[in-house]
Amino acid sequence: MPIIEIKTLDQPGVDVFSTLTEAQLRNRMEPDKGVFIAESPKVIHVALNMGFEPLALLCERRHIEGDAASIIERCGNIPVYTGDRDLLATLTGYTLTRGVLCAMRRPPEKPVEEVCRDARRVVVIDGVVDTTNIGAIFRSAAALGIDAVLLTRNSCDPLNRRAVRVSMGSVFLVPWAWLDGSISCLHALGFKTAAMALTDQSVSIDNPALKTEPQLAIVMGTEGDGLPHETIAEADYVVRIPMSHDVDSLNVAAAAAVAFWELR
């Protein structure tokens, strides 16, 4: 595996780690050429365990025989770009977590029908754009028995670098897909839908009817505006988490964890 010392910020081959935006990495015009960035040794190992293809590594010089050594050994004959911590931070625009980044091939998009096959509990993420929330929801989904994640197109990309890191690689463990239709299209797959929202018709999350549903899609919106009115109107259930001290709602990631635990 070639070790390439970075001498300048315009070093050939490192643009994937520096100048390309998230949209350019996704490369929507040519999805088969899309790339994402996995950050930190643990996250990279999870991705490799799940069969994702590595394309290039960027790591601090001191990690070549340290935290990155086992990754380098697993990745085969791909370029390893290296340099001092300050230079790499200038190159990428942020300090590397544990000093290692891996550019990996983006997998083909999966259809909703495929990721929901044999699923009993799924979550629909509607319009959540914060990368930290997306990563945290995926981590809770993996830990608390959610079988698949569906996202509306106006939500953050789960393979965004920060979302991947916050999820601790859970985005590689839980099947996910983009949902292009309304939540009512899930009825054809056997799901009842439960919109998490505060309305006069909301039932408590511990309502026994929810747990008896053989297939349930839990629909989460943003903590600012919440779910769109039309989404709430289409849902089979509208569900609230009981609150104390006049707190009206939780952050969407915290609410998702509560919902996953209670409705698993």
Side-chain angles (χ1 to χ4, degrees), residues 32-184:
D32 59 322
K33 296 182 180 178
V35 176
F36 70 92
I37 304 297
E39 182 181 5
S40 88
K42 181 174 181 178
V43 170
I44 295 168
H45 276 300
V46 174
L48 293 173
N49 290 344
M50 297 303 295
F52 287 85
E53 177 191 356
L55 302 174
L57 284 167
L58 179 72
C59 66
E60 294 176 33
R61 188 183 298 105
R62 65 191 179 96
H63 287 307
I64 290 177
E65 296 181 358
D67 286 348
S70 59
I71 297 171
I72 292 173
E73 183 178 355
R74 295 185 65 182
C75 283
N77 192 34
I78 66 171
V80 179
Y81 298 98
T82 189
D84 293 328
R85 182 181 180 86
D86 290 344
L87 175 63
L88 298 190
T90 302
L91 176 74
T92 61
Y94 51 88
T95 301
L96 277 61
T97 302
R98 299 285 299 279
V100 188
L101 297 178
C102 185
M104 311 192 88
R105 178 70 64 207
R106 176 177 284 267
E109 291 186 8
K110 295 180 179 180
V112 169
E113 294 78 9
E114 179 181 336
V115 302
C116 289
R117 189 178 299 128
D118 302 322
R120 295 185 63 253
R121 293 292 184 267
V122 304
V123 60
V124 178
I125 299 174
D126 189 331
V128 177
V129 298
D130 183 88
T131 55
T132 300
N133 284 335
I134 291 290
I137 292 171
F138 265 87
R139 190 172 183 182
S140 293
L144 300 175
I146 296 300
D147 300 310
V149 178
L150 308 176
L151 304 100
T152 59
R153 293 281 181 178
N154 60 340
S155 295
C156 170
D157 176 19
L159 294 182
N160 171 284
R161 176 189 61 84
R162 182 169 174 79
V164 170
R165 181 168 65 81
V166 171
S167 80
M168 294 301 291
S170 295
V171 295
F172 310 130
L173 303 178
V174 183
W176 62 272
W178 296 109
L179 180 67
D180 289 314
S182 69
I183 60 171
S184 61

